[in-house]
Amino acid sequence: MSAMAAPRKKRPGKDEKLTFKERLAALRNLPAFFRMVWQTSPGLAIGNTVLRVAQSAMPLSLLYVGKLIIDQVVHLTKDPGHSTTWLWQLVALEFGLAILSDALSRAISLLDGLLGDLFANHTSVKIMEHAAKLDLDQFEDAEFYDKLERARQQTSGRTVLLAQVLSQVQDIITIVFLAAGLVFFNPWLILLLLLAVIPAFLNESHFNDLYYKLAWGQTSDRRELDYIRYLGASDETAKEVKVFDLSNFLINRFKFISNKFYTDKKVLQIRDSIWGTIFAIVGAAGYYAAYVIIILQTIRGHLSIGDLAFLAGSFRQLRTTFQGILIRFSSVTQGALYLRDLFEYFEIQPKMVPVLHPRAFPRPIQQGFTFEDVGFKYINSDKWAIRHLNFTLHPGEKLALVGENGAGKTTLVKLLSRLYDPVEGRILLDGIDLREYDLKELRTQVGVIFQDYQRYQMTVSQNIAVGNIAQSNNLPMIEDAARQSLASPLIEKMPLGYEQMLGRRFNQGIELSGGEWQKIALARAYMKDAQLLILDEPTSALDARAEYNVFLRFADLTRDKTAVLISHRFSTVRMANRILVLERGTLVEIGSHEELLARKGRYAELFELQAAGYK
Ligand SMILES: Nc1ncnc2c1ncn2[C@@H]1O[C@H](COP(=O)(O)OP(=O)(O)OP(=O)(O)O)[C@@H](O)[C@H]1O
C-alpha cells in the first residue's frame, strides 16, 4: 500500500544533473502559479500588471528626452540667440517623467508586498485544507513529511518568485522598447551585448541548479534541525532536557548538522562568486566595446552628442536589463522547480476516496460492527498489527479490549473509526462494508478519545468543544459535557472558569496535571450524541477513586449506546459486558469477566497477575 497515490516524477538526486530541458519544463508550473496568484486577489494582480507595463516604458522615454535636451543645449551654445522655451519644456518633461517613474516603482513594490502577503496566507490555507483531506497513514510516511515541509517552504519563498516573474515580464517589455530605439542606429551592437551576457547567464543557472539540489538533499536533515531546535528551547521539553541533562547532546547534534549545511553551502558560494566575477568582466567588456564603437561614430560625425548620450545610456540600461533577465531566468526556473514541490504536494490524493453514493449511517444500529478476517499493517512496517480478526460488536454492548502493550488494541479502534481501512478482510456495519457509509456521518456517529489525545493550548471551553466543533459557542452543552466527565468541579475552581486559557504557551494560561487534562479531554466524548463511543485508556492518569466514578458515570450515560473501552486496569475492564483479549494482533479470547476467569486462559492469567500486585 503506498501513501503516495500521486504519480511519482523523476526527481533530481544529489548527483543527478538537472538538464536545461528539465529546467524549462519546470516553467510549465507558472500558469498554475499565476492562477493561484489570481485567486489570491484579482484586483491587485491587475493593478500590478498595469503599473509594470507603464514602468517599462520609462527608461526609453527618459533617455530619449535626455538626448533631446543635450542636442538642444548644444544647439543653443552654437546659436545663443535662439529661444530656450523648448529646452525648458523638455527639462520639465524629464522632471515629470522622473517623478512618475519613482512613484510607479513605489506603487509596484507596495502592490508586490500586499500581493505577496496575501499569497502566502492563501497558500498556507490551501496547504492546511489539503492536509485535512489526506489520510492518517500519509502523515506517518517520512517521504510525505518531506514533501509537506518543502511545500510549506513555498509559502514565503514563492512571494519572491512572484515579484521576480513580474519583474521579468516588465524587463522584457523594457528591452523591447530599448531595442526598438537602438535597432534604428546599429542592430549588430545589440547582438554584441547579447553574446557578452550569455556566459554570465549560463554560469548563474548552473549554480542555481547546484543550490536547488543541495537544498533538496537537505530536506530531511532540515526537519531534524527544526526538531532539535524545538527540543532545545520549548516549554514542553524543558523539564526533561534539564533532568536528563540533554542540552549538550542536543547542541552538539545541532552544531554537527548546521555546520554540515554551512560547509556545503560555503564551498558553493565561493565557487559561485569567483565565476560570477569572471563572467561579469566578460559582460563589461562587451558593453565597453559597444561604447567605443559609438564614440568613434560620434567623432566621425555620424552621431550627435545627444545621440551619443542616448545610445550610451540605452546600452548601459540594455546591458543591466539583459543581465537581470538572464540571471533572473535561472532563479525563476529554480523557483519553478520549488513550485513543482508545492504542486506535487497538492497532487497527493487521499486513498480513502468517498464512495459515489454513500449510505446513510443506520439510526439506530441494528446488527452492530462485524470484523471479517480483518488484517492491517502500518505503511511504514512489514509487521501485521492486526491479523485474522473475527468478532461482532453488538449494538448497546460495552466491550473492553485487553492485551499487552503493542497487542493491537489502538489499531483495532482506529479501524473501527475508519482512520485506516483494513488491508485484508472487511468491517461490516449492519452487514454492509464500513467503506460504503458516508465518512463524515460516521465521524459524527462514532466518538473516540485516544490515549494520546491533544492538549490544546486554548481555553477550557474550546478544549471541550473540539469534540464537536460546530457547537463551540454552545456553552450550556459544553458545561453539560464537563459535568458528565466529572471535569466541572475542576473548571469551577479555575480563575476564569470556562474561559481559562490552558497550557503555558499563551498569556494567563495555566498548566493542569495529567489527570486534570484527562478529565477535560474526556468531556469531548460527551459533546456529540454518537452511537458508538470509544475510550482508549481515557482514565490512565486518573486516581483510583476518580476512575471508578468516571466509569460508573460512563456506564450510566452510555446505557443505550455501544461502547468500546481500552484499559489496563481490570477493575475497569470487568465492568464491560464482554472482554476481547488480543495478543500480537489476534483474538485469543472473548467473553464476560466471569466466563474468561472460568476459562483460566490468558485473561485469567493477566487478571491474577494484577490482583497479586495488590495483595
Ligand atoms: N503509526 C504506526 N506506525 C507503525 N507501526 C505502528 C503504528 N502504531 C502502532 N504500530 C505498531 O502496531 C502494533 C500495535 O500497536 P497498537 O498501538 O495497536 O498497540 P496497543 O495494543 O494499543 O498498545 P498499548 O497498550 O501500548 O497502547 C505495535 O507493534 C506497534 O509497534
Side-chain angles (χ1 to χ4, degrees), residues 62-64 66-71 182 287 291 294-295 298 303-317:
L62 277 166
L63 283 164
Y64 194 72
K67 165 203 143 53
L68 294 179
I69 290 174
I70 293 171
D71 281 345
L182 285 175
Y287 164 69
Y291 194 30
I294 302 165
I295 292 173
T298 313
L303 298 172
S304 72
I305 303 286
D307 290 340
L308 170 70
F310 171 70
L311 288 176
S314 297
F315 272 113
R316 198 177 322 112
Q317 182 90 41

Side-chain angles (χ1 to χ4, degrees), residues 140 378 380-381 383 385 403-411 414 420 451 537 568:
E140 289 165 352
Y378 286 94
N380 46 10
S381 165
K383 208 183 75 188
E404 292 175 85
N405 296 131
K409 305 180 293 295
T410 302
T411 308
K414 287 177 181 165
Y420 303 112
Q451 52 182 334
E537 293 187 50
H568 289 289

Side-chain angles (χ1 to χ4, degrees), residues 285-454:
Y287 164 69
Y288 279 97
Y291 194 30
V292 167
I293 294 172
I294 302 165
I295 292 173
L296 289 176
Q297 282 187 325
T298 313
I299 294 172
R300 283 184 204 129
H302 299 314
L303 298 172
S304 72
I305 303 286
D307 290 340
L308 170 70
F310 171 70
L311 288 176
S314 297
F315 272 113
R316 198 177 322 112
Q317 182 90 41
L318 201 58
R319 178 185 157 228
T320 33
T321 318
F322 247 139
Q323 209 156 19
I325 284 190
L326 295 183
I327 288 171
R328 215 183 293 116
F329 172 77
S330 67
S331 35
V332 165
T333 53
Q334 188 198 15
L337 285 171
Y338 282 102
L339 272 184
R340 189 170 67 175
D341 294 326
L342 179 68
F343 294 132
E344 261 188 27
Y345 163 75
F346 284 133
E347 276 173 22
I348 302 171
Q349 291 303 320
K351 286 167 293 143
M352 284 193 185
V353 275
V355 280
L356 213 52
H357 303 291
R359 283 171 187 273
F361 201 89
R363 290 171 213 222
I365 298 172
Q366 300 290 336
Q367 301 159 29
F369 294 85
T370 302
F371 279 61
E372 264 188 12
D373 201 34
V374 169
F376 179 77
K377 53 177 154 181
Y378 286 94
I379 179 150
N380 46 10
S381 165
D382 293 331
K383 208 183 75 188
W384 289 93
I386 293 266
R387 195 94 203 257
H388 303 310
L389 193 58
N390 292 288
F391 75 96
T392 295
L393 171 65
H394 304 292
E397 184 178 31
K398 315 284 174 282
L399 179 76
L401 302 183
V402 168
E404 292 175 85
N405 296 131
K409 305 180 293 295
T410 302
T411 308
L412 191 159
V413 158
K414 287 177 181 165
L415 291 168
L416 204 49
S417 51
R418 266 206 87 198
L419 284 172
Y420 303 112
D421 283 330
V423 174
E424 277 182 1
R426 52 189 194 146
I427 303 170
L428 307 175
L429 168 60
D430 286 358
I432 289 158
D433 198 314
L434 207 52
R435 281 174 273 220
E436 293 198 21
Y437 291 96
D438 183 67
L439 190 57
K440 263 199 157 54
E441 225 187 324
L442 185 129
R443 292 270 145 79
T444 64
Q445 293 299 311
V446 179
V448 199
I449 306 294
F450 283 107
Q451 52 182 334
D452 53 352
Y453 62 86
Q454 272 304 315

Side-chain angles (χ1 to χ4, degrees), residues 48-159:
N48 200 313
T49 314
V50 170
L51 293 183
R52 280 176 186 277
V53 171
Q55 178 71 320
S56 19
M58 284 297 146
L60 183 73
S61 317
L62 277 166
L63 283 164
Y64 194 72
V65 176
K67 165 203 143 53
L68 294 179
I69 290 174
I70 293 171
D71 281 345
Q72 191 63 13
V73 170
V74 171
H75 183 67
L76 283 170
T77 52
K78 287 180 190 156
D79 179 8
H82 201 275
S83 156
T84 54
T85 320
W86 174 229
L87 174 68
W88 297 124
Q89 280 172 343
L90 285 173
V91 172
L93 180 63
E94 186 169 323
F95 177 62
L97 283 176
I99 291 177
L100 181 63
S101 171
D102 193 51
L104 281 175
S105 307
R106 281 170 202 282
I108 288 170
S109 50
L110 171 69
L111 293 199
D112 271 1
L114 296 178
L115 195 55
D117 288 348
L118 280 183
F119 180 74
N121 296 348
H122 180 75
T123 317
S124 298
V125 168
K126 285 199 79 154
I127 288 178
M128 284 197 276
E129 281 174 350
H130 192 65
K133 279 193 225 150
L134 298 173
D135 304 335
L136 185 60
D137 63 2
Q138 290 173 315
F139 282 87
E140 289 165 352
D141 184 272
E143 196 183 327
F144 167 83
Y145 242 98
D146 282 350
K147 253 183 203 182
L148 182 61
E149 189 55 31
R150 281 197 291 271
R152 259 201 219 119
Q153 288 165 7
Q154 304 317 307
T155 50
S156 54
R158 288 329 95 205
T159 56

